Amino acid sequence: MLRRFRPYFHYLREHRSLLLLGILCGVISGIATGAGLPLMVDRVFPVVFGANAAPLSNWQLAVVVLWLPLVFTLRGVFGYLNAYLIQLAGTRVLESIRRDFFRKLQVLPLSFFGRHSSGDLISRGLADANQLQFTLTTVANEIVKSPATLVGAIGVIAYKAYQIDGLSLVLVCLAAVPLTVLPIRHIGKKLARRSGSIQRELGAVSSRFNENLAAAREIRAFGLEDRETARFSLVTRALITAQMKFVKYEKALAPMIEIISTLGIAGTLLYAYRIHLDLPTFMALITALYASYEPVKRLGALNNETKRGLGALDRLEAILNEPVTIKDPPQPVPVSRLRGEIAFSGVTFAYGDSPALSDVTVTIPAGTVCALVGPSGAGKSTFANLVPRFYEVGAGAVTIDGIDVRQMKLADLRRHIALVSQEPVLFNDTIYENLRLGREGATRDEIMAAAVDAHADEFIRQLPLGYETIVGERGALLSGGQKQRVAIARAFLRHAPILILDEATSALDSDSEAAVQDALRKLVQGKTVLIIAHRFSTIRDASQILVFDRGRIAASGDHTALYAGNALYKSLYDRQSAHGAQ
Ligand code: ADP
């Protein structure tokens, strides 16, 4: 079982001395528990209660009565140090696992997020990591102390037995110990399977939560409150069922071990009667026996807890070991400054089975504006997503200035691209920090200048705290047009030769609209621009228009040529014009 944790041992290296000290403290505490109590029964009781005991001097009496507090102080203080020190090391490991998990989420390809719901991923990062933490805590408390207690107690039994009768008494006393292994193994196996399903169900509950919270508006608009609650009840019921199956077995273990251990005590009673054992010796043996079964019980429970922790580790590792398919090439082509000529040659791409792009070949000269048009689902966004290498082409190649995007470092490639999406995402931070994301290392003056260029400065200054205003989750305190302008300012800051622009479909208020359009006109100058176009004004200004239809480029050219020669384009354009004229 420890093998599973081996990859994480290196995290412990810097805490090695603490860990060793912790283990030492555990041994002292365990032996104090296992041997201290039986020895007290053996030594102290006869002195105090023995029929023919000699009267004690004051200091002898003090030593005798202080034996118990002494044992418990040793057990308590060293037990505390043991738990604290080992847990310190354990939580450091956990912290590293959790950080690695989060870091991994930053570099996984976007296709990964199509396969995993964010609720499930959050559940792995929080609930599974918590489970693992709990396991480490429990294990830390017992893993050294319990075996040491067991050794201490067995030591006392062996010592007493040696004085009286030799080996046979030891064997009789401990006869039941091997039997306790049976339920531990059996139940452990059952639990291993069930703990995985608990964590899975937790993931499902978390997904439901997440999806529901993200759709608060729709749920109210469509009157889905009851349906959602019913759907939520289903997953919570499944979670509870999984948990109860676990509890059913988990709670059976301790009583089973106790019952089996009483067989050992019964055997000892019988034997004691046969060989006329005196009461104090018998009491010492029974205390030692009790002290030895207790750690067995705990180790059994520990075994279960470890199974549970491993279930959680499995779910964390499933993500940690997920291959990062989109990464830097081993020998990247050095890139200083790209001009921005984009070329697709024979590009085919599929998200799943059916292709979203088939055999697309086109060149977009540097410094020109290219509009992507076509019905929804035709492949426009997919085309744009392949340029920053958000996805990997299935066949063919995407090149910039003749260099395959797969041959550049991702950071080099993406440094040359600015992205303005339909619904820009802002972080829950100040406007200033949100702007600064545009380029690491931008100065305050540059940031302000970008805001001015994007027509964002004017509204920002009217906010209560100006640039220091916090924008709320995903920028909730700003209007759609304001968020767009912040996104445009970020794009200005980036100074990238390539600009990918997903035009907003939703109508902005007319002031915002004019400001956004003006800012965009300035932004696109001198850049290679890909616009996923929803407006006819943009289309008409483009030097090249690509008409997408079911994953292919059905036609390309400028507006006049396409309007005259392509029926799909004509119908799209006429529809947009009618829409625009409304
Ligand atoms: P457009 O931008 O022209 O509306 P897209 O490029 O978004 O079209 O989509 C092209 C095709 O790929 C569609 O059939 C769409 O359903 C599919 N698709 C788009 N994004 C994904 C995704 N993340 N996972 C799976 N399929 C997708």
Side-chain angles (χ1 to χ4, degrees):
M1 216 180 273
L2 273 181
R3 210 166 356 117
R4 285 294 317 281
F5 292 102
R6 195 171 296 155
Y8 305 100
F9 279 0
H10 67 272
Y11 293 128
L12 281 175
R13 209 163 293 151
E14 54 182 309
H15 309 292
R16 197 167 31 194
S17 41
L18 283 184
L19 192 64
L20 287 176
L21 196 62
I23 291 175
L24 183 69
C25 291
V27 171
I28 297 176
S29 166
I31 289 182
T33 315
L37 291 182
L39 281 180
M40 186 184 81
V41 174
D42 187 41
R43 288 291 156 87
V44 176
F45 281 10
V47 177
V48 180
F49 300 113
N52 46 8
L56 296 173
S57 68
N58 281 350
W59 74 267
Q60 277 174 320
L61 189 62
V63 169
V64 165
V65 296
L66 284 177
W67 179 259
L68 189 64
L70 175 74
V71 167
F72 272 78
T73 305
L74 277 180
R75 169 189 145 107
V77 170
F78 285 98
Y80 171 81
L81 287 174
N82 160 68
Y84 181 82
L85 293 173
I86 296 190
Q87 197 170 320
L88 179 68
T91 46
R92 286 290 154 82
V93 173
L94 180 76
E95 186 192 6
S96 309
I97 294 179
R98 199 181 254 154
R99 194 190 48 221
D100 286 354
F101 181 83
F102 192 81
R103 186 186 292 141
K104 183 71 181 243
L105 291 182
Q106 315 307 303
V107 298
L108 279 167
L110 285 183
S111 54
F112 169 86
F113 297 94
R115 286 182 279 121
H116 288 86
S117 76
S118 50
D120 180 61
L121 292 172
I122 292 173
S123 177
R124 287 177 202 244
L126 296 180
D128 287 282
N130 273 344
Q131 173 60 52
L132 197 56
Q133 177 158 25
F134 185 72
T135 302
L136 283 172
T137 315
T138 322
V139 171
N141 266 329
E142 299 297 339
I143 192 83
V144 181
K145 234 170 11 183
S146 284
T149 310
L150 190 62
V151 168
I154 291 180
V156 173
I157 293 175
Y159 168 68
K160 290 308 296 179
Y162 169 76
Q163 284 183 332
I164 303 161
D165 183 37
L167 198 61
S168 58
L169 182 58
V170 184
L171 293 179
V172 170
C173 289
L174 299 177
V177 172
L179 284 180
T180 56
V181 173
L182 296 176
I184 293 179
R185 282 180 62 93
H186 177 69
I187 289 181
K189 270 191 208 135
K190 298 255 179 213
L191 292 182
R193 244 180 297 137
R194 286 176 174 71
S195 72
S197 65
I198 293 183
Q199 302 300 117
R200 252 196 320 281
E201 297 299 342
L202 255 180
V205 170
S206 169
S207 294
R208 289 258 55 130
F209 250 116
N210 201 40
E211 202 174 62
N212 177 281
L213 293 178
R217 267 163 61 94
E218 283 75 4
I219 287 160
R220 280 150 192 78
F222 290 107
L224 301 177
E225 298 86 347
D226 291 340
R227 187 191 88 124
E228 281 295 294
T229 310
R231 266 157 47 102
F232 185 71
S233 306
L234 281 182
V235 286
T236 49
R237 176 51 57 89
L239 172 63
I240 287 169
T241 310
Q243 278 170 334
M244 286 319 293
K245 278 185 183 158
F246 189 89
V247 169
K248 185 168 88 182
Y249 289 101
E250 188 196 24
K251 297 296 173 206
L253 187 65
M256 282 169 94
I257 292 180
E258 263 170 23
I259 293 170
I260 292 175
S261 62
T262 54
L263 290 177
I265 295 179
T268 315
L269 260 178
L270 192 66
Y271 199 77
Y273 179 74
R274 288 267 163 78
I275 64 167
H276 306 294
L277 211 59
D278 61 301
L279 185 65
T281 310
F282 177 73
M283 286 302 293
L285 274 177
I286 290 293
T287 315
L289 261 184
Y290 184 76
S292 71
Y293 285 129
E294 190 60 24
V296 169
K297 208 163 72 184
R298 294 213 185 156
L299 286 172
L302 203 62
N303 183 50
N304 297 346
E305 190 48 49
T306 314
K307 291 274 166 28
R308 224 171 155 164
L310 286 179
L313 186 63
D314 275 343
R315 282 170 47 84
L316 287 168
E317 282 189 334
I319 308 298
L320 287 171
N321 297 336
E322 177 82 24
V324 177
T325 46
I326 297 189
K327 55 181 176 203
D328 289 341
Q331 272 148 357
V333 174
V335 173
S336 52
R337 185 74 187 160
L338 294 171
R339 288 179 305 111
E341 183 195 76
I342 302 170
F344 278 57
S345 53
V347 169
T348 296
F349 173 80
Y351 291 100
D353 294 332
S354 57
L357 286 182
S358 318
D359 196 21
V360 168
T361 300
V362 66
T363 300
I364 302 161
T368 64
V369 174
C370 174
L372 315 178
V373 302
S376 154
K380 305 180 293 290
S381 311
T382 307
F383 181 87
N385 279 336
L386 291 179
V387 178
R389 207 177 158 209
F390 288 157
Y391 297 90
E392 203 81 297
V393 295
V398 177
T399 58
I400 298 179
D401 295 357
I403 309 170
D404 192 318
V405 292
R406 285 168 294 192
Q407 299 196 311
M408 297 183 220
K409 272 193 181 165
L410 282 170
D412 280 341
L413 169 66
R414 292 176 182 166
R415 185 160 48 86
H416 288 91
I417 301 174
L419 197 75
V420 178
S421 57
Q422 250 185 54
E423 287 174 21
V425 174
L426 272 60
F427 290 90
N428 192 4
D429 202 337
T430 61
I431 294 229
Y432 182 79
E433 286 302 320
N434 267 293
L435 289 168
R436 213 158 68 91
L437 302 179
R439 181 161 45 91
E440 210 181 342
T443 65
R444 193 165 184 98
D445 287 345
E446 287 173 318
I447 291 171
M448 299 282 192
V452 170
D453 284 339
H455 290 294
D457 184 70
E458 46 218 70
F459 85 80
I460 294 174
R461 285 186 189 281
Q462 286 168 13
L463 293 171
L465 296 175
Y467 280 83
E468 303 309 317
T469 310
I470 306 252
V471 298
E473 199 176 0
R474 300 178 80 85
L477 300 185
L478 302 184
S479 75
Q482 291 171 334
K483 276 190 269 191
Q484 281 268 320
R485 283 182 272 167
V486 170
I488 292 170
R490 278 181 191 161
F492 267 113
L493 261 186
R494 204 155 177 78
H495 290 313
I498 297 173
L499 174 67
I500 297 176
L501 198 61
D502 196 352
E503 261 190 338
T505 40
S506 49
L508 304 173
D509 60 90
S510 53
D511 278 355
S512 260
E513 177 74 51
V516 166
Q517 288 306 326
D518 193 53
L520 283 178
R521 247 192 306 280
K522 252 190 279 175
L523 178 63
V524 302
Q525 269 161 30
K527 298 193 167 74
T528 313
V529 186
L530 288 182
I531 305 184
I532 300 174
H534 304 291
R535 291 157 207 279
F536 73 109
S537 56
T538 330
I539 300 175
R540 233 175 7 210
D541 293 343
S543 42
Q544 184 181 13
I545 300 165
L546 305 179
V547 184
F548 280 82
D549 187 22
R550 280 165 290 173
R552 291 175 187 278
I553 298 182
S556 67
D558 65 6
H559 169 69
T560 327
L562 284 173
Y563 193 77
N566 186 273
L568 176 60
Y569 180 76
K570 185 170 185 306
S571 77
L572 283 169
Y573 184 82
D574 288 343
R575 213 165 40 206
Q576 275 174 348
S577 306
H579 196 67
Q582 274 170 6

